[in-house]
Amino acid sequence: MSNNAPFPPTAATINARDAAGDDARRNAPIEAEEGKEPFLAALGERTKALRVRRGLTRKALARLTGVSERHLANLEYGVGNASILILLHVTRALQCSLAELLGDVTTQSPEWLMLRELLANCDEATLRRVRLAASDVIGTGHPLSEAPPARSSRIALIGLRGAGKSTLGRMLAEDLDFPFVELSRDIEKLAGCSISEILGLYGQNAYRRYERRALEETIQAYPEAVIATAGGLVSDLGSFNLLLRHCTTVWLTADPEDHMSRVRAQGDLRPMAASREAMEDLKTILAGRAAFYSKAEMRVDTSAQPLAETFHILRAEVREALGLPVQA
């Protein structure tokens, strides 16, 4: 290797090398699973899982990072020995730490990740109190003996697009005589433009900032409300922890086919609804976010029965949780 060769390589250099690769390599089949280096294979799986959780296609991630789709594909398949600079580009685009991408023990489950986010800005005194409380819980094997807090009267509906959050949320708000808040509309008001324009002009990071601010303002403004959240809110652990702390949460689930048909019926032509691989993309996103959605206190399947019956199930569960009479 020449002493004048740059190190580490830049994204542009790697893209150039990738574009100039020989045909044999370009057309060669992906290596057999057993031939992969285990660390690189695990790194690729985590990269794909993080991309899916953000709801990004590989092409979208390539645009955000400046790294070629081919190089990202090699990374995800576990056959690309990426430089630390490339990994840094990927972590910035996916809004995660290098530790999460590399598989640090404190990043291996949703609970670990949410704990990390909660503790990130705490001072030493607070961290000590948390450690002592955790020692008490772990040492006895049971939760602390204090009575659980009362349920919040802010009802937050979470789930992927097409789960029924807007439709059922309006019905539930009317039944409870609570305000109905569709968080995506509040995000657009704050930004002064549509969701698609926010993403197109400013990117996902800006969108997540508007989303956090809209959620904070909703929590501050409404002691009682039904809130329909955006499907990707669980991807921002700060916003998701905020939601879990201040709201009673309900995960609305649906079959992938129902998600897709409902999104199309709404005239939504965003990438997930228009892509030729839309159904596979949708299933992958659902799988990647399910562990986070499952942190909700309640779950209602909106595909299991007609709308009216689904609403009665949701109404009964929420009213029971809030200590309200179930019978009209």
Side-chain angles (χ1 to χ4, degrees):
M1 178 182 292
S2 168
N3 291 333
N4 295 324
F7 185 82
T10 64
T13 301
I14 289 175
N15 286 343
R17 290 178 186 169
D18 188 56
D22 59 88
D23 290 339
R25 180 181 180 279
R26 191 176 299 278
N27 297 321
I30 297 298
E31 295 178 22
E33 288 293 326
E34 58 270 18
K36 292 181 182 179
E37 206 288 327
F39 175 80
L40 292 179
L43 173 63
E45 289 171 4
R46 284 189 294 272
T47 302
K48 182 177 180 180
L50 284 162
R51 173 175 65 77
V52 166
R53 193 199 308 164
R54 299 287 182 231
L56 295 172
T57 63
R58 196 179 295 134
K59 181 174 290 187
L61 182 58
R63 286 197 301 268
L64 288 171
T65 59
V67 178
S68 73
E69 278 190 74
R70 173 70 182 184
H71 198 78
L72 291 174
N74 284 341
L75 174 61
E76 291 189 357
Y77 284 126
V79 297
N81 193 353
S83 74
I84 194 70
L85 181 61
I86 291 301
L87 296 183
L88 184 61
H89 288 312
V90 171
T91 59
R92 286 174 176 168
L94 296 179
Q95 303 170 52
C96 67
S97 65
L98 274 172
E100 185 171 0
L101 198 64
L102 295 176
D104 182 89
V105 66
T106 61
T107 68
Q108 290 180 358
S109 75
E111 293 293 354
W112 264 120
L113 289 168
M114 287 189 281
L115 281 169
R116 280 169 57 100
E117 195 281 330
L118 281 173
L119 299 176
N121 298 313
C122 293
D123 58 27
E124 278 299 302
T126 302
L127 289 171
R128 182 176 183 275
R129 291 198 299 273
V130 171
R131 178 176 59 80
L132 292 175
S135 297
D136 188 21
V137 172
I138 295 168
T140 60
H142 329 219
L144 296 173
S145 57
E146 294 148 2
R151 298 268 192 172
S152 169
S153 291
R154 299 181 199 91
I155 312 302
L157 305 180
I158 66 173
L160 203 61
R161 276 186 291 150
K165 293 171 293 184
S166 296
T167 300
L168 289 164
R170 288 189 181 91
M171 295 169 70
L172 184 62
E174 183 178 356
D175 178 80
L176 296 172
D177 197 23
F178 286 0
F180 175 67
V181 178
E182 192 157 18
L183 210 58
S184 58
R185 302 288 77 82
D186 284 4
I187 292 168
E188 290 178 333
K189 289 176 186 175
L190 286 171
C193 58
S194 69
I195 299 294
S196 59
E197 288 173 322
I198 298 170
L199 293 170
L201 293 172
Y202 309 115
Q204 275 218 354
N205 290 353
Y207 171 79
R208 294 297 171 209
R209 289 195 297 272
Y210 281 119
E211 182 178 59
R212 177 81 64 90
R213 184 177 159 195
L215 179 59
E216 289 170 344
E217 291 187 0
T218 296
I219 289 170
Q220 185 175 18
Y222 298 105
E224 296 178 339
V226 175
I227 306 166
T229 68
L233 183 139
V234 297
S235 300
D236 185 315
L237 296 178
S239 293
F240 191 37
N241 268 316
L242 186 67
L243 192 81
L244 292 174
R245 285 200 304 272
H246 295 283
C247 302
T248 296
T249 49
V250 184
W251 177 18
L252 298 184
T253 69
D255 295 335
E257 293 77 13
D258 282 340
H259 276 293
M260 186 62 71
S261 63
R262 292 167 185 172
V263 167
R264 285 175 171 157
Q266 294 163 8
D268 192 333
L269 300 178
R270 284 181 282 179
M272 193 183 76
S275 167
R276 287 177 300 173
E277 298 83 21
M279 184 57 72
E280 286 308 309
D281 289 346
L282 187 148
K283 289 178 180 177
T284 306
I285 292 170
L286 275 172
R289 291 179 180 169
F292 294 86
Y293 288 142
S294 67
K295 301 303 172 188
E297 297 162 76
M298 289 166 274
R299 176 177 176 175
V300 175
D301 185 347
T302 66
S303 291
Q305 58 282 309
L307 176 62
E309 190 176 340
T310 300
F311 171 66
H312 285 304
I313 293 170
L314 174 64
R315 176 184 182 274
E317 290 205 19
V318 169
R319 280 182 164 271
E320 184 175 350
L322 297 184
L324 299 173
V326 175
Q327 297 299 325

